[in-house]
């Protein structure tokens, strides 16, 4: 029987880890001669005090939900897919090719095909590392890291030599047809009379990300395939004894993982209306922290993605309004990852002792 209740493992431990990371971050801000309280207040006001900042937070969070889910499903199969960056990069290529190939008359027609393009290219980019792990024993961490760099180099070549419009100096594709423009949050809320800033590119993809979370939950906890993935992740030998094929689970889990990472490009590419270099902007790596903090559960992934979206948007605010360098947000993100991942036991072990002490005292009283 677990010493720590499930609610404490899912909520209390990540919350304490975040508070510790923020406390250390405050000390770092103090060390560079700035006011940490004023800095955090500026982050909160700039994100939640106006719809523009809140919209940018949701835009970033949408990317992190997709990449967080991509890492989470691999975690359930005890696979460390660190290649979300490359899979999202190739997903962006798939989305761009779909948007450029047809003069789409309306976004409702373009969106389903863009989803297929992004998911297909992301899944195919995850297939080779999955096959090498399943059939050749190559470690998934090493191969997916390598494929991140290959994807980046491949996209540079395609944007500079193949997809760049003639006469353009910008390494980017041509702008997509107007029919591919997704409805933004301001458009959707305006229909029901709610005013929302049109500046942030947050769009209908945010709701697609939430739908992906629901489908993820159904797959993992309500289907036979999900049970097989979890069983394999808990014990490979027991799963094999029960007739579950390791090859099948590794390849299917990685295909779904790559497809989810590739779907991130719907948000980042279609919102900017063209494919540019570095459209992923590190979201594939942040997805690892999101999955860790969210305990590989879709609800936890959403909360963690919103928090990292707040950090990115809040970082832009303090960079604009203070002398604190924006790179400090990378430090805060690193501290969050450190405490929720590598130093998880630093919070867990004292809590285990505390809950164990209360359990021993309970029957006596």
């Amino acid at each position: 029987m677990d010493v720590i209740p499930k609610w404490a493992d899912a909520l209390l431990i990540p919350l304490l880890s975040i508070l510790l990371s923020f406390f250390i971050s405050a000390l770092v801000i103090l060390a560079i001669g700035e006011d940490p309280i004023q800095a955090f207040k500026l982050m909160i006001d700039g994100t939640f005090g106006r719809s523009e900042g809140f919209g940018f937070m949701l835009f970033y969070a949408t990317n992190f939900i997709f990449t967080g889910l991509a890492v989470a499903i691999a975690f359930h199969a005890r696979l460390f897919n660190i290649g979300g960056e490359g899979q999202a990069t190739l997903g962006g290529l798939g989305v761009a090719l779909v948007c450029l190939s047809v003069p789409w008359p309306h976004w409702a027609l373009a969106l389903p095909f863009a989803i297929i393009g992004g998911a297909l290219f992301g899944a195919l980019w995850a297939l080779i590392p999955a096959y090498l792990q399943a059939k050749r024993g190559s470690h998934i961490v090493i191969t997916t890291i390598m494929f991140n760099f290959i994807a980046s180099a491949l996209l540079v070549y395609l944007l500079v030599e193949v997809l760049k419009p003639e006469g353009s100096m910008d390494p980017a594709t041509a702008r997509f047809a107007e029919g591919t423009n997704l409805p933004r949050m301001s458009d959707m809320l305006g229909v029901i009379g709610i005013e929302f800033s049109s500046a942030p590119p947050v769009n209908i993809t945010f709701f697609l990300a939430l739908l992906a979370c629901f489908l993820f939950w159904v797959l993992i906890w309500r289907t036979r395939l999900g049970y097989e993935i979890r069983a394999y992740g808990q014990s490979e030998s027991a799963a094999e004894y029960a007739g579950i094929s390791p090859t099948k689970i590794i390849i299917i889990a990685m295909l779904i993982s790559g497809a989810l990472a590739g779907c991130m490009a719907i948000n980042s590419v279609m919102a900017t209306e063209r494919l540019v270099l570095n459209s992923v902007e590190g979201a594939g790596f942040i997805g690892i922290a999101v999955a860790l903090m969210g305990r590989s559960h879709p609800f936890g992934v959403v909360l963690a993605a919103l928090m990292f979206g707040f950090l990115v948007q809040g970082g832009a605010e303090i960079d604009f309004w203070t002398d604190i360098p924006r790179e400090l947000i990378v430090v805060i993100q690193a501290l969050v990852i450190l405490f929720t991942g590598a130093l998880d036991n630093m919070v867990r072990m004292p809590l285990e002792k505390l809950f164990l002490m209360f359990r021993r005292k309970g029957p006596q009283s």
Side-chain angles (χ1 to χ4, degrees):
M1 184 174 62
D2 293 333
V3 176
I4 298 180
K6 288 184 178 180
W7 67 266
D9 181 67
L11 296 175
L12 187 58
I13 292 178
L15 179 61
L16 291 175
S17 298
I18 293 169
L19 291 176
L20 280 171
S21 63
F22 280 178
F23 175 73
I24 302 299
S25 301
L27 295 181
V28 174
I29 295 174
L30 275 175
I32 63 175
E34 298 289 340
D35 183 0
I37 296 177
Q38 181 63 28
F40 286 124
K41 183 177 182 299
L42 187 61
M43 290 176 67
I44 293 171
D45 290 343
T47 303
F48 298 103
R50 52 197 176 91
S51 64
E52 181 180 347
F54 186 67
F56 275 106
M57 184 195 79
L58 292 181
F59 174 75
Y60 299 133
T62 302
N63 292 338
F64 303 152
I65 289 173
F66 278 116
T67 56
L69 291 176
V71 176
I73 195 163
F75 277 168
H76 279 292
R78 202 185 288 180
L79 298 169
F80 199 168
N81 178 17
I82 205 169
E85 193 83 0
Q87 291 147 22
T89 297
L90 265 291
L93 178 61
V95 170
L97 292 178
V98 167
C99 292
L100 291 169
S101 62
V102 176
W104 299 100
H106 195 270
W107 67 266
L109 294 174
L111 182 58
F113 288 95
I115 294 172
I116 294 171
L120 181 62
F121 274 59
L124 289 176
W125 201 247
L127 176 60
I128 300 175
Y131 176 83
L132 293 174
Q133 166 86 18
K135 291 294 189 179
R136 308 292 294 179
S138 303
H139 202 288
I140 201 76
V141 170
I142 304 301
T143 53
T144 50
I145 288 176
M146 292 170 60
F147 270 64
N148 285 337
F149 290 100
I150 297 172
S152 177
L154 177 61
L155 187 65
V156 169
Y157 169 76
L158 290 174
L159 287 180
V160 172
E161 301 293 340
V162 180
L163 297 175
K164 184 178 68 173
E166 187 176 351
S168 173
M169 298 298 292
D170 190 12
T173 65
R175 289 204 170 269
F176 304 152
E178 190 175 343
T180 63
N181 295 350
L182 298 178
R184 297 196 173 191
M185 190 70 74
S186 56
D187 303 323
M188 292 180 285
L189 293 180
V191 174
I192 57 177
I194 299 177
E195 291 187 6
F196 198 89
S197 173
S198 59
V202 58
N203 54 75
I204 197 172
T205 315
F206 175 71
F207 299 103
L208 288 179
L210 297 182
L211 176 62
C213 289
F214 173 73
L215 296 176
F216 181 101
W217 177 81
V218 172
L219 171 66
I220 294 297
W221 283 282
R222 289 295 183 272
T223 66
R224 177 176 177 176
L225 175 60
Y227 174 80
E228 291 179 346
I229 290 173
R230 288 185 290 118
Y232 176 80
Q234 291 295 321
S235 174
E236 180 179 350
S237 59
E240 283 193 79
Y241 183 77
I244 298 172
S245 168
T247 301
K248 167 190 166 184
I249 296 302
I250 290 171
I251 290 180
I252 289 179
M254 284 298 295
L255 284 175
I256 298 173
S257 180
L260 286 167
C263 283
M264 189 219 85
I266 301 164
N267 186 54
S268 61
V269 174
M270 293 187 76
T272 55
E273 301 174 16
R274 60 177 183 160
L275 177 62
V276 299
L277 286 176
N278 197 29
S279 61
V280 182
E281 294 184 327
F285 295 117
I286 293 177
I288 299 170
V290 168
L292 285 170
M293 185 179 297
R295 296 295 189 266
S296 298
H297 191 283
F299 181 71
V301 165
V302 171
L303 294 180
L306 289 171
M307 196 209 72
F308 274 92
F310 162 71
L311 288 177
V312 174
Q313 171 56 23
E317 293 293 329
I318 64 172
D319 180 52
F320 186 79
W321 295 105
T322 72
D323 293 329
I324 300 174
R326 189 173 184 177
E327 287 73 19
L328 183 64
I329 295 302
V330 179
V331 174
I332 298 176
Q333 291 176 354
L335 288 169
V336 171
I337 295 169
L338 182 67
F339 281 102
T340 57
L343 298 181
D344 182 75
N345 282 335
M346 194 174 85
V347 176
R348 183 180 298 275
M349 292 177 67
L351 277 181
E352 285 182 349
K353 293 179 181 178
L354 186 62
F355 278 105
L356 192 58
M357 181 181 67
F358 279 119
R359 282 187 181 179
R360 288 174 179 172
K361 287 184 177 180
Q364 298 174 358
S365 57

